[in-house]
Short mmCIF file of all heavy atoms in Angstrom, two decimals:
data_model
loop_
_atom_site.label_atom_id
_atom_site.label_comp_id
_atom_site.label_asym_id
_atom_site.label_seq_id
_atom_site.Cartn_x
_atom_site.Cartn_y
_atom_site.Cartn_z
N PHE A 212 -56.03 28.40 40.84
CA PHE A 212 -57.17 28.52 41.78
C PHE A 212 -56.88 27.42 42.82
O PHE A 212 -56.20 26.50 42.69
CB PHE A 212 -58.58 27.92 41.09
CG PHE A 212 -58.91 28.76 39.81
CD1 PHE A 212 -58.46 28.35 38.70
CD2 PHE A 212 -59.79 29.81 39.89
CE1 PHE A 212 -58.89 28.96 37.45
CE2 PHE A 212 -60.27 30.54 38.79
CZ PHE A 212 -59.71 29.99 37.52
N SER A 213 -57.70 27.61 44.03
CA SER A 213 -57.52 26.67 45.11
C SER A 213 -58.92 26.81 45.74
O SER A 213 -59.37 27.86 46.25
CB SER A 213 -56.49 27.04 46.04
OG SER A 213 -56.70 26.23 47.23
N PHE A 214 -59.63 25.67 45.88
CA PHE A 214 -60.89 25.70 46.47
C PHE A 214 -61.00 24.75 47.79
O PHE A 214 -62.12 24.72 48.48
CB PHE A 214 -62.06 25.17 45.49
CG PHE A 214 -62.26 26.29 44.45
CD1 PHE A 214 -61.85 25.93 43.16
CD2 PHE A 214 -62.85 27.42 44.66
CE1 PHE A 214 -62.07 26.99 42.16
CE2 PHE A 214 -63.08 28.42 43.71
CZ PHE A 214 -62.65 28.15 42.45
N ALA A 215 -60.06 23.96 48.06
CA ALA A 215 -60.00 23.18 49.24
C ALA A 215 -60.29 23.78 50.61
O ALA A 215 -60.99 23.31 51.43
CB ALA A 215 -58.79 22.16 49.31
N GLY A 216 -59.67 25.05 50.75
CA GLY A 216 -59.75 25.83 51.95
C GLY A 216 -61.22 26.33 52.24
O GLY A 216 -61.67 26.42 53.39
N LEU A 217 -61.92 26.50 51.22
CA LEU A 217 -63.33 27.06 51.21
C LEU A 217 -64.13 25.91 51.80
O LEU A 217 -64.96 26.21 52.73
CB LEU A 217 -63.73 27.36 49.88
CG LEU A 217 -65.18 27.80 49.81
CD1 LEU A 217 -65.53 29.05 50.49
CD2 LEU A 217 -65.48 28.16 48.25
N LYS A 218 -63.94 24.77 51.46
CA LYS A 218 -64.71 23.57 51.96
C LYS A 218 -64.50 23.38 53.46
O LYS A 218 -65.29 23.21 54.23
CB LYS A 218 -64.20 22.37 51.18
CG LYS A 218 -64.80 20.98 51.70
CD LYS A 218 -64.06 19.90 50.87
CE LYS A 218 -62.50 19.92 51.33
NZ LYS A 218 -61.61 19.23 50.35
N THR A 219 -63.20 23.57 53.80
CA THR A 219 -62.79 23.37 55.24
C THR A 219 -63.40 24.52 56.03
O THR A 219 -63.93 24.25 57.22
CB THR A 219 -61.27 23.55 55.40
OG1 THR A 219 -60.70 22.61 54.45
CG2 THR A 219 -60.79 23.17 56.80
N ALA A 220 -63.42 25.76 55.50
CA ALA A 220 -64.14 26.82 56.19
C ALA A 220 -65.53 26.59 56.44
O ALA A 220 -66.09 26.82 57.57
CB ALA A 220 -63.84 28.13 55.53
N VAL A 221 -66.20 26.03 55.38
CA VAL A 221 -67.67 25.81 55.58
C VAL A 221 -67.87 24.67 56.63
O VAL A 221 -68.79 24.78 57.47
CB VAL A 221 -68.32 25.30 54.19
CG1 VAL A 221 -69.78 24.85 54.34
CG2 VAL A 221 -68.25 26.54 53.20
N ARG A 222 -66.97 23.64 56.65
CA ARG A 222 -67.10 22.60 57.59
C ARG A 222 -66.97 23.08 59.02
O ARG A 222 -67.86 22.71 59.93
CB ARG A 222 -66.05 21.50 57.34
CG ARG A 222 -66.23 20.36 58.36
CD ARG A 222 -65.17 19.34 58.18
NE ARG A 222 -65.31 18.55 56.92
CZ ARG A 222 -64.38 18.39 56.05
NH1 ARG A 222 -63.29 18.86 56.13
NH2 ARG A 222 -64.72 17.67 55.01
N THR A 223 -66.10 24.07 59.22
CA THR A 223 -65.88 24.68 60.47
C THR A 223 -67.20 25.43 60.94
O THR A 223 -67.58 25.16 62.11
CB THR A 223 -64.69 25.71 60.53
OG1 THR A 223 -63.56 25.02 59.94
CG2 THR A 223 -64.34 26.22 61.85
N HIS A 224 -67.72 26.11 60.10
CA HIS A 224 -69.02 26.85 60.54
C HIS A 224 -70.19 25.80 60.84
O HIS A 224 -70.91 25.94 61.72
CB HIS A 224 -69.56 27.67 59.39
CG HIS A 224 -68.81 29.05 59.32
ND1 HIS A 224 -68.86 29.93 60.25
CD2 HIS A 224 -67.95 29.49 58.26
CE1 HIS A 224 -68.12 31.03 59.79
NE2 HIS A 224 -67.58 30.75 58.67
N VAL A 225 -70.20 24.79 59.91
CA VAL A 225 -71.33 23.71 60.15
C VAL A 225 -71.09 23.01 61.50
O VAL A 225 -72.08 22.83 62.24
CB VAL A 225 -71.32 22.77 58.97
CG1 VAL A 225 -72.17 21.55 59.30
CG2 VAL A 225 -71.75 23.40 57.71
N LEU A 226 -69.86 22.67 61.70
CA LEU A 226 -69.56 22.04 63.10
C LEU A 226 -69.88 22.97 64.30
O LEU A 226 -70.48 22.48 65.24
CB LEU A 226 -68.15 21.63 63.14
CG LEU A 226 -67.66 20.40 62.23
CD1 LEU A 226 -66.28 20.06 62.31
CD2 LEU A 226 -68.59 19.11 62.60
N LYS A 227 -69.58 24.19 64.18
CA LYS A 227 -69.74 25.17 65.27
C LYS A 227 -71.36 25.35 65.35
O LYS A 227 -71.66 25.40 66.66
CB LYS A 227 -69.15 26.50 64.79
CG LYS A 227 -68.67 27.36 66.04
CD LYS A 227 -67.70 28.50 65.92
CE LYS A 227 -67.54 28.95 64.56
NZ LYS A 227 -66.70 30.23 64.40
N LEU A 228 -71.97 25.37 64.34
CA LEU A 228 -73.45 25.65 64.56
C LEU A 228 -74.09 24.34 65.03
O LEU A 228 -75.26 24.35 65.74
CB LEU A 228 -74.03 26.09 63.17
CG LEU A 228 -73.63 27.43 62.71
CD1 LEU A 228 -73.99 27.71 61.27
CD2 LEU A 228 -74.26 28.58 63.56
N GLY A 229 -73.53 23.17 64.66
CA GLY A 229 -74.02 21.87 65.24
C GLY A 229 -75.57 21.69 64.65
O GLY A 229 -76.05 22.17 63.71
N ASP A 230 -76.18 20.89 65.51
CA ASP A 230 -77.63 20.48 65.19
C ASP A 230 -78.58 21.65 65.27
O ASP A 230 -79.61 21.58 64.68
CB ASP A 230 -78.02 19.44 66.21
CG ASP A 230 -77.36 18.09 65.96
OD1 ASP A 230 -76.85 17.97 64.91
OD2 ASP A 230 -77.33 17.30 66.98
N GLY A 231 -78.13 22.80 65.99
CA GLY A 231 -78.97 23.86 66.12
C GLY A 231 -79.01 24.79 64.76
O GLY A 231 -79.66 25.81 64.77
N ILE A 232 -78.30 24.34 63.70
CA ILE A 232 -78.25 25.18 62.58
C ILE A 232 -79.68 25.40 61.98
O ILE A 232 -80.42 24.39 61.82
CB ILE A 232 -77.34 24.63 61.39
CG1 ILE A 232 -77.10 25.49 60.22
CG2 ILE A 232 -77.81 23.21 60.99
CD1 ILE A 232 -76.03 25.14 59.32
N SER A 233 -80.05 26.63 61.73
CA SER A 233 -81.33 26.89 61.22
C SER A 233 -81.42 26.90 59.67
O SER A 233 -80.39 26.82 59.03
CB SER A 233 -81.80 28.40 61.59
OG SER A 233 -80.97 29.34 60.97
N ALA A 234 -82.59 26.81 59.17
CA ALA A 234 -82.85 26.77 57.75
C ALA A 234 -82.25 27.96 57.01
O ALA A 234 -81.66 27.90 56.06
CB ALA A 234 -84.35 26.76 57.38
N GLN A 235 -82.37 29.13 57.74
CA GLN A 235 -81.88 30.43 57.29
C GLN A 235 -80.35 30.37 57.18
O GLN A 235 -79.69 30.78 56.23
CB GLN A 235 -82.39 31.62 58.01
CG GLN A 235 -82.03 32.93 57.43
CD GLN A 235 -82.58 33.05 55.95
OE1 GLN A 235 -83.71 32.82 55.70
NE2 GLN A 235 -81.75 33.41 55.02
N GLN A 236 -79.77 29.85 58.23
CA GLN A 236 -78.35 29.72 58.25
C GLN A 236 -77.75 28.77 57.17
O GLN A 236 -76.73 29.16 56.64
CB GLN A 236 -77.88 29.26 59.71
CG GLN A 236 -77.89 30.41 60.82
CD GLN A 236 -77.68 29.79 62.11
OE1 GLN A 236 -78.17 28.64 62.50
NE2 GLN A 236 -77.06 30.54 63.07
N ARG A 237 -78.36 27.62 56.95
CA ARG A 237 -78.00 26.82 55.86
C ARG A 237 -78.02 27.58 54.59
O ARG A 237 -77.16 27.41 53.67
CB ARG A 237 -78.85 25.60 55.79
CG ARG A 237 -78.61 24.56 56.86
CD ARG A 237 -79.50 23.39 56.84
NE ARG A 237 -79.38 22.57 55.71
CZ ARG A 237 -80.21 22.42 54.78
NH1 ARG A 237 -81.37 22.86 54.84
NH2 ARG A 237 -80.03 21.52 53.74
N ALA A 238 -79.18 28.32 54.35
CA ALA A 238 -79.29 29.15 53.03
C ALA A 238 -78.21 30.17 52.96
O ALA A 238 -77.57 30.38 51.89
CB ALA A 238 -80.69 29.74 53.02
N ASP A 239 -77.96 30.83 54.13
CA ASP A 239 -76.87 31.94 54.12
C ASP A 239 -75.45 31.26 53.87
O ASP A 239 -74.69 31.91 53.10
CB ASP A 239 -76.85 32.57 55.56
CG ASP A 239 -78.10 33.41 55.81
OD1 ASP A 239 -78.86 33.72 54.84
OD2 ASP A 239 -78.24 33.79 56.95
N LEU A 240 -75.24 30.09 54.35
CA LEU A 240 -73.97 29.45 54.20
C LEU A 240 -73.94 29.07 52.68
O LEU A 240 -72.77 29.13 52.01
CB LEU A 240 -73.71 28.15 54.90
CG LEU A 240 -72.88 28.36 56.33
CD1 LEU A 240 -72.97 27.01 57.17
CD2 LEU A 240 -71.49 28.77 55.96
N ALA A 241 -74.85 28.61 52.08
CA ALA A 241 -74.94 28.24 50.68
C ALA A 241 -74.73 29.50 49.82
O ALA A 241 -73.87 29.37 48.83
CB ALA A 241 -76.35 27.56 50.27
N ALA A 242 -75.33 30.58 50.12
CA ALA A 242 -75.15 31.80 49.34
C ALA A 242 -73.74 32.28 49.55
O ALA A 242 -73.05 32.77 48.51
CB ALA A 242 -76.19 32.83 49.89
N ALA A 243 -73.20 32.18 50.70
CA ALA A 243 -71.84 32.66 50.97
C ALA A 243 -70.73 31.81 50.12
O ALA A 243 -69.87 32.29 49.60
CB ALA A 243 -71.43 32.70 52.50
N THR A 244 -70.99 30.51 50.13
CA THR A 244 -70.07 29.56 49.47
C THR A 244 -70.13 29.85 47.85
O THR A 244 -69.22 30.12 47.25
CB THR A 244 -70.67 28.12 49.64
OG1 THR A 244 -70.63 27.81 51.05
CG2 THR A 244 -69.67 27.19 48.91
N GLN A 245 -71.39 30.03 47.40
CA GLN A 245 -71.59 30.24 45.89
C GLN A 245 -70.91 31.63 45.55
O GLN A 245 -70.17 31.76 44.57
CB GLN A 245 -73.09 30.30 45.51
CG GLN A 245 -73.32 30.71 44.11
CD GLN A 245 -74.72 30.72 43.79
OE1 GLN A 245 -75.17 29.86 42.94
NE2 GLN A 245 -75.59 31.52 44.41
N GLN A 246 -71.09 32.65 46.45
CA GLN A 246 -70.50 33.94 46.12
C GLN A 246 -69.00 33.91 46.20
O GLN A 246 -68.30 34.45 45.32
CB GLN A 246 -71.08 34.93 47.18
CG GLN A 246 -70.57 36.40 46.78
CD GLN A 246 -71.22 36.85 45.40
OE1 GLN A 246 -72.45 36.87 45.37
NE2 GLN A 246 -70.47 37.15 44.51
N ALA A 247 -68.47 33.12 47.08
CA ALA A 247 -66.91 32.99 47.24
C ALA A 247 -66.44 32.28 45.92
O ALA A 247 -65.38 32.82 45.32
CB ALA A 247 -66.54 32.18 48.47
N ILE A 248 -66.98 31.27 45.52
CA ILE A 248 -66.50 30.59 44.23
C ILE A 248 -66.74 31.48 43.04
O ILE A 248 -65.71 31.71 42.27
CB ILE A 248 -67.44 29.25 44.09
CG1 ILE A 248 -67.12 28.22 45.32
CG2 ILE A 248 -67.02 28.61 42.74
CD1 ILE A 248 -68.04 27.03 45.24
N VAL A 249 -67.88 32.14 42.91
CA VAL A 249 -68.14 33.03 41.87
C VAL A 249 -67.07 34.12 41.75
O VAL A 249 -66.53 34.47 40.79
CB VAL A 249 -69.54 33.45 41.84
CG1 VAL A 249 -69.68 34.62 40.84
CG2 VAL A 249 -70.47 32.26 41.43
N ASP A 250 -66.85 34.77 42.97
CA ASP A 250 -65.90 35.85 43.04
C ASP A 250 -64.57 35.55 42.47
O ASP A 250 -63.89 36.25 41.64
CB ASP A 250 -65.72 36.27 44.50
CG ASP A 250 -66.82 37.19 44.98
OD1 ASP A 250 -67.60 37.65 44.15
OD2 ASP A 250 -66.86 37.61 46.17
N VAL A 251 -64.00 34.35 42.81
CA VAL A 251 -62.67 33.95 42.38
C VAL A 251 -62.76 33.56 40.85
O VAL A 251 -61.85 34.02 40.13
CB VAL A 251 -62.26 32.72 43.16
CG1 VAL A 251 -60.90 32.23 42.65
CG2 VAL A 251 -62.22 32.88 44.64
N LEU A 252 -63.77 32.91 40.45
CA LEU A 252 -63.83 32.55 38.98
C LEU A 252 -63.82 33.78 38.17
O LEU A 252 -63.33 33.93 37.10
CB LEU A 252 -65.02 31.61 38.72
CG LEU A 252 -65.00 30.21 39.33
CD1 LEU A 252 -66.33 29.55 38.98
CD2 LEU A 252 -63.88 29.49 38.83
N VAL A 253 -64.77 34.73 38.60
CA VAL A 253 -64.90 36.04 37.76
C VAL A 253 -63.56 36.86 37.87
O VAL A 253 -63.11 37.26 36.77
CB VAL A 253 -66.05 36.92 38.44
CG1 VAL A 253 -66.13 38.31 37.79
CG2 VAL A 253 -67.39 36.13 38.07
N ARG A 254 -62.98 37.07 39.00
CA ARG A 254 -61.76 37.78 39.06
C ARG A 254 -60.69 37.23 38.17
O ARG A 254 -59.93 37.91 37.55
CB ARG A 254 -61.39 37.83 40.61
CG ARG A 254 -59.95 38.58 40.80
CD ARG A 254 -60.03 40.00 40.76
NE ARG A 254 -60.65 40.50 42.02
CZ ARG A 254 -59.99 41.15 42.85
NH1 ARG A 254 -58.73 41.18 42.96
NH2 ARG A 254 -60.71 41.55 43.97
N LYS A 255 -60.48 35.87 38.24
CA LYS A 255 -59.37 35.31 37.55
C LYS A 255 -59.64 35.30 36.00
O LYS A 255 -58.73 35.42 35.17
CB LYS A 255 -59.27 33.77 38.06
CG LYS A 255 -58.78 33.74 39.47
CD LYS A 255 -57.36 33.78 39.70
CE LYS A 255 -57.04 33.76 41.11
NZ LYS A 255 -55.56 33.64 41.42
N SER A 256 -60.87 35.18 35.68
CA SER A 256 -61.24 35.26 34.29
C SER A 256 -60.88 36.47 33.61
O SER A 256 -60.46 36.72 32.58
CB SER A 256 -62.78 34.92 34.04
OG SER A 256 -62.97 33.57 34.52
N ILE A 257 -61.29 37.62 34.39
CA ILE A 257 -61.12 39.01 34.00
C ILE A 257 -59.45 39.18 33.86
O ILE A 257 -58.96 39.75 32.98
CB ILE A 257 -61.69 40.06 34.83
CG1 ILE A 257 -63.28 39.71 34.82
CG2 ILE A 257 -61.30 41.34 34.50
CD1 ILE A 257 -63.87 39.96 33.50
N ALA A 258 -58.75 38.65 34.87
CA ALA A 258 -57.28 38.74 34.91
C ALA A 258 -56.78 38.08 33.56
O ALA A 258 -55.78 38.50 33.06
CB ALA A 258 -56.71 38.24 36.08
#
Side-chain angles (χ1 to χ4, degrees):
F212 304 86
S213 165
F214 291 109
L217 179 59
K218 171 192 63 196
T219 310
V221 174
R222 178 180 292 124
T223 308
H224 281 296
V225 169
L226 287 176
K227 209 164 13 170
L228 292 165
D230 291 340
I232 187 168
S233 69
Q235 188 58 50
Q236 283 169 324
R237 283 174 71 243
D239 290 347
L240 263 177
T244 303
Q245 176 176 244
Q246 189 64 63
I248 297 171
V249 167
D250 277 353
V251 179
L252 294 176
V253 170
R254 173 78 73 102
K255 300 272 174 173
S256 299
I257 298 302

